Amino acid sequence: MEYTKTLLREIGLEPERLEMFHIGASEAPAWARAVSEMTERARELGPNRLKKEIKTMQSAK
Amino acid sequence: MPTPSEFRQALASKEFILTAELDPPKGADLSVVQEKISALKGKVQGVVVSDNHSARMRMAPLGLCRALLDQGLEPILTLTGRDRNRLALQSDLLAAASLGIQNVLAVTGDHTSWGDHPQAKPVYDLDSLQLLGALNALNLGQDLSGNPLEGAAPLFTVGAVVPLTANPLQPVIMKFRKKAAQGVDFFMSHPLFDLNNAGPFFEQTREIKTPLLATVCLLKWEQVAGYLPGNIPGLFLPEGMLEQFKSWGEGAYESKAWEFARKLIEAIKKDGRFRGVHLMLQGEEIRVGELV
Amino acid sequence: MIVAQRKPFEEIKKSLAPYENIVVAGCGTCVAVCLAGGKKEVGLLASQLRMSFGLDKKNVKVSEVTLERQCDREFLETVKNEVEQAEAVLSMACGAGIQFLAEAYPQRPVYPGVNTTFIGVAEAAGLWTERCRACGECLLAETGGICPRTICSKGLNNGPCGGMMEGKCEVDPERSCAWVLIYDRLSQEDRLAAMEAVRQPTDYTRQTQPGKVTHAAYLRRYHADSK
């Protein structure tokens, strides 16, 4: 996970966009917290620049 | 056959010898070290001129050694294997001999990573033992490939270095014996702070009678305060000594260090196992008179 | 094996900047073992390149192909199509493989994706250390199986040097002094006599640049038997 974050950092993407959580199948509250956390992070970081670029490139074809 | 150098004669005479270390300037201007040369004159029987000491690029020792001869001092040229291949080493030695420089201290040399050109290629084509071999070959009138030299062969007085307090000691003693067997006229120790620490070395090398000079090094306060074993190449400061030096405090350190050096020199003179003292004053050569 | 490290991403990206169609060529042998240029690493790097160029608003095609070895012509031939459809190649093989690939496809610029570092061994997962300098006159018989030309920072044939401190090397206090290691090993094997002789200087004619080896059985084929 640390390594993959490094790979993201190398290309200028925020490593916080990626995270790994160990959650058991029956741990619903933990799952909810993880989802809230990532949603909150996504809000703070804003839209992923790459997503926009890919859309632009695909529509330009 | 060249006349034996004054230093060679001093070694043969059994008198207690004093030498001092002098670094060439980082530049082409010898006037920068003139004061130090003048201070050393008459005080020591030999001046060991370093060779890119700690891999910091400076004028080659050849230049300063010739200047010392011109001013009536006796030079000992340090030659390391770090910067020159076997061709250049032999060439430089022959040039030195032609300029009247006959005393050579052959060492492996501090690694390039210590100095101010860390990206340079470390040569080490010859290690200290092989360099001693080259010196002996030249003295016999031939080069390392066995080719005869033209004209009169040089008469180098050959020196090597030995760490008396090494740990582990056995491999170091083995190397010391190898050096002695190659043919060395004198040895100089790594900086020594406590004569007792040299005991184990001497116990195992009684059979080697080559003259040995003990090096007395004056450390600066910054070096003591920041000392960690291995952060000054070739300098091992025993724990007890380090604590003692630190206990003096920055203010009192200098005068106490010089006093310590004076006492150490006296002890070395009386010891009986040493033929002399080599002073490493690290830039304070002007004050040599305070010690001798 | 040959150990290499992937070059810094910025450096790789910069060398590929002029192109819109790149193929990343991996190698399945040494560089795969040291996790620098095998199929998986090719996949990761290709992904990064696509994403990075994407962020720069550039639509660059990055293909991937991994061959068994790049130091053998028979494998280089297998990637003809992939190489020829691209404008440039990024080779993840060791320096030898990169050059051989470039030689096989001279019409395409071939860029290195790794820095080849040394001949070494896998000490542990993810950790490789150098063991051999390819000096051409292996002296391991006399040094108890420890190479002073590689392990000693100064490559001394007679050691230890005065920089040895507490059994460690003056250049890196975390590293053991090669000659202390040799002494201990020979001592264990009761072969200290091997260290007592003065070793002669290295024979650099054994390390001609560039080196060339012709197997004895092939001397006649390459007219090398008169040498």
Side-chain angles (χ1 to χ4, degrees), chain B residues 243-264:
Chain B
E243 291 316 310
Q244 185 182 347
F245 292 170
K246 276 184 176 166
S247 74
W248 294 336
E250 187 170 358
Y253 176 76
E254 200 185 287
S255 57
K256 290 215 149 116
W258 283 80
E259 183 55 38
F260 180 86
R262 263 191 291 276
K263 291 202 177 116
L264 184 55

Side-chain angles (χ1 to χ4, degrees), chain C residues 109-177:
Chain C
V110 176
Y111 292 91
V114 303
N115 285 322
T116 305
T117 50
F118 51 70
I119 300 172
V121 298
E123 292 267 359
L127 177 65
W128 297 273
T129 52
E130 185 176 18
R131 291 305 173 96
C132 174
R133 282 282 160 113
C135 71
E137 45 168 12
C138 191
L139 41 49
L140 290 175
E142 288 132 66
T143 57
I146 296 168
C147 178
R149 294 180 184 174
T150 314
I151 309 294
C152 170
S153 300
K154 301 177 182 177
L156 301 176
N157 284 310
N158 296 282
C161 76
M164 185 277 287
M165 189 126 333
E166 308 293 291
K168 302 290 183 191
C169 175
E170 78 176 39
V171 176
D172 181 359
E174 305 278 299
R175 293 218 311 259
S176 291
C177 164

Side-chain angles (χ1 to χ4, degrees), chain A residues 22-59:
Chain A
H22 287 287
I23 303 170
S26 55
E27 293 179 65
W31 161 252
R33 277 197 296 278
V35 171
S36 304
E37 158 123 25
M38 292 313 282
T39 313
E40 193 48 45
R41 283 196 203 173
R43 272 206 197 99
E44 274 171 30
L45 291 168
N48 186 331
R49 292 191 295 133
L50 190 58
K51 192 167 159 191
K52 197 174 72 162
E53 298 316 328
I54 291 175
K55 276 216 174 101
T56 313
M57 290 193 291
Q58 283 175 339
S59 58

Side-chain angles (χ1 to χ4, degrees), chain B residues 86 108-111 113-114 123-127 129-130 144 163 166-168 170-172 174-175 178 182 190 227 229-230 232-236, chain C residues 153-168 170-171 173 179-180 183-184 192-193 195-204:
Chain B
R86 65 195 81 171
T108 302
D110 301 327
H111 194 265
S113 52
W114 288 106
V123 180
Y124 299 114
D125 189 22
L126 297 184
D127 56 43
L129 263 160
Q130 293 154 353
L144 272 178
N167 177 24
Q170 293 310 119
V172 169
M174 182 184 268
K175 187 160 180 196
K178 278 161 84 165
Q182 273 282 52
H190 278 203
Y227 181 80
I232 303 174
L235 192 133
F236 178 69
Chain C
S153 300
K154 301 177 182 177
L156 301 176
N157 284 310
N158 296 282
C161 76
M164 185 277 287
M165 189 126 333
E166 308 293 291
K168 302 290 183 191
E170 78 176 39
V171 176
W179 279 101
V180 168
Y183 182 92
D184 288 343
L192 273 175
M195 200 168 144
E196 278 161 13
V198 175
R199 293 202 60 85
Q200 290 311 298
T202 303
D203 178 358
Y204 284 94

Side-chain angles (χ1 to χ4, degrees), chain B residues 205-225:
Chain B
T205 57
R206 276 186 231 277
E207 77 281 9
I208 295 170
K209 307 291 179 202
T210 317
L212 167 65
L213 281 77
T215 297
V216 171
C217 178
L218 256 128
L219 291 173
K220 301 186 204 292
W221 171 253
E222 300 78 53
Q223 290 174 310
V224 168

Side-chain angles (χ1 to χ4, degrees), chain B:
Chain B
M1 157 116 157
T3 326
S5 73
E6 284 187 23
F7 187 67
R8 191 183 195 82
Q9 294 174 52
L11 283 171
S13 76
K14 313 288 181 209
E15 62 183 280
F16 194 79
I17 296 169
L18 277 163
T19 59
E21 184 110 351
L22 186 61
D23 291 335
K26 194 188 221 327
D29 187 356
L30 282 169
S31 68
V32 165
V33 291
Q34 185 52 56
E35 241 194 300
K36 294 175 183 176
I37 297 173
S38 305
L40 290 171
K41 182 163 175 164
K43 295 276 194 307
V44 292
Q45 282 120 319
V47 177
V48 174
V49 177
S50 61
D51 182 13
N52 290 335
H53 181 59
S54 294
R56 294 189 69 235
M57 192 284 294
R58 294 164 176 277
M59 175 194 290
L62 198 63
L64 178 53
C65 282
R66 181 63 233 174
L68 288 172
L69 271 174
D70 290 339
Q71 296 192 39
L73 290 98
E74 179 75 350
I76 299 169
L77 183 143
T78 307
L79 197 59
T80 76
R82 178 197 52 238
D83 307 320
R84 301 171 178 83
N85 72 4
R86 65 195 81 171
L87 281 142
L89 287 165
Q90 292 177 89
S91 294
D92 284 2
L93 283 171
L94 294 176
S98 79
L99 292 169
I101 299 156
Q102 294 175 276
N103 310 309
V104 179
L105 187 65
V107 299
T108 302
D110 301 327
H111 194 265
T112 25
S113 52
W114 288 106
D116 56 13
H117 289 61
Q119 295 179 329
K121 180 178 183 177
V123 180
Y124 299 114
D125 189 22
L126 297 184
D127 56 43
S128 56
L129 263 160
Q130 293 154 353
L131 192 43
L132 292 171
L135 280 156
N136 286 314
L138 294 173
N139 274 351
L140 289 170
Q142 56 183 340
D143 65 20
L144 272 178
S145 291
N147 302 310
L149 299 180
E150 299 173 289
L155 180 59
F156 291 115
T157 299
V158 177
V161 175
V162 60
L164 300 178
T165 58
N167 177 24
L169 192 55
Q170 293 310 119
V172 169
I173 286 181
M174 182 184 268
K175 187 160 180 196
F176 175 67
R177 289 207 179 97
K178 278 161 84 165
K179 284 185 178 178
Q182 273 282 52
V184 170
D185 297 308
F186 68 98
F187 280 102
M188 283 186 169
S189 79
H190 278 203
L192 198 57
F193 297 93
D194 184 350
L195 296 182
N196 295 322
N197 294 344
F201 178 88
F202 283 116
E203 268 158 48
Q204 297 187 55
T205 57
R206 276 186 231 277
E207 77 281 9
I208 295 170
K209 307 291 179 202
T210 317
L212 167 65
L213 281 77
T215 297
V216 171
C217 178
L218 256 128
L219 291 173
K220 301 186 204 292
W221 171 253
E222 300 78 53
Q223 290 174 310
V224 168
Y227 181 80
L228 286 167
N231 73 349
I232 303 174
L235 192 133
F236 178 69
L237 191 54
E239 184 85 23
M241 288 278 104
L242 178 62
E243 291 316 310
Q244 185 182 347
F245 292 170
K246 276 184 176 166
S247 74
W248 294 336
E250 187 170 358
Y253 176 76
E254 200 185 287
S255 57
K256 290 215 149 116
W258 283 80
E259 183 55 38
F260 180 86
R262 263 191 291 276
K263 291 202 177 116
L264 184 55
I265 293 168
E266 281 313 306
I268 292 167
K269 276 190 181 147
K270 295 191 181 111
D271 188 280
R273 297 175 294 189
F274 301 99
R275 269 300 303 282
V277 163
H278 174 56
L279 299 166
M280 266 189 177
L281 302 179
Q282 298 198 97
E284 297 293 312
E285 292 81 18
I286 311 182
R287 296 174 60 180
V288 67
E290 294 178 38
L291 294 175
V292 299

